[in-house]
Amino acid sequence: MSALTLERMRADVAGMLGEVPEDIGDDDNLMDLGLDSMRVLGLVLAWGNTGIALEFSHLAEHATLGGWWGVVQRLQARAAAGA
C-alpha cells in the first residue's frame, strides 16, 4: 500500500467533479464545487485502501481539500507510530 498524498487526493476529487486537478484549490469549498456526500463516501472508501483508518465523519467536519489533508496527515502519523 502506498501513502495517500495531497496530489492523489486533489486528482481524485477533480475526477469526481469532472475538473482538472489544477482547478481544485486547497481552500476551495468542495461542497460549493459540487461534491456531495455520496461522492465523499466513495473517496473515503478508496482512500481507506491506503492503510489509514479514514472515516466519513473525519471528512464531514471539513469542507476543503486542505482540511482533509490535515486529517489524513494526522491519521498517517498515528498509523506510523503504531506500526
Side-chain angles (χ1 to χ4, degrees):
M1 280 180 258
S2 61
L4 185 57
T5 64
L6 178 58
E7 292 78 21
R8 176 180 169 190
M9 291 175 68
R10 187 182 318 280
D12 290 349
V13 168
M16 287 275 187
L17 297 173
E19 301 288 341
V20 294
E22 295 79 22
D23 288 344
I24 308 297
D26 290 354
D27 297 321
D28 291 343
N29 184 310
L30 300 175
M31 305 315 135
D32 288 349
L33 295 178
L35 200 64
D36 59 29
S37 60
M38 292 305 293
R39 291 178 178 165
V40 173
L41 184 56
L43 292 169
V44 168
L45 294 173
W47 295 340
N49 291 331
T50 63
I52 58 173
L54 185 62
E55 297 178 10
F56 179 84
S57 62
H58 294 137
L59 300 186
E61 296 175 12
H62 305 277
T64 66
L65 188 60
W68 288 4
W69 178 236
V71 168
V72 167
Q73 286 182 306
R74 286 189 296 278
L75 291 171
Q76 287 176 335
R78 202 175 300 158

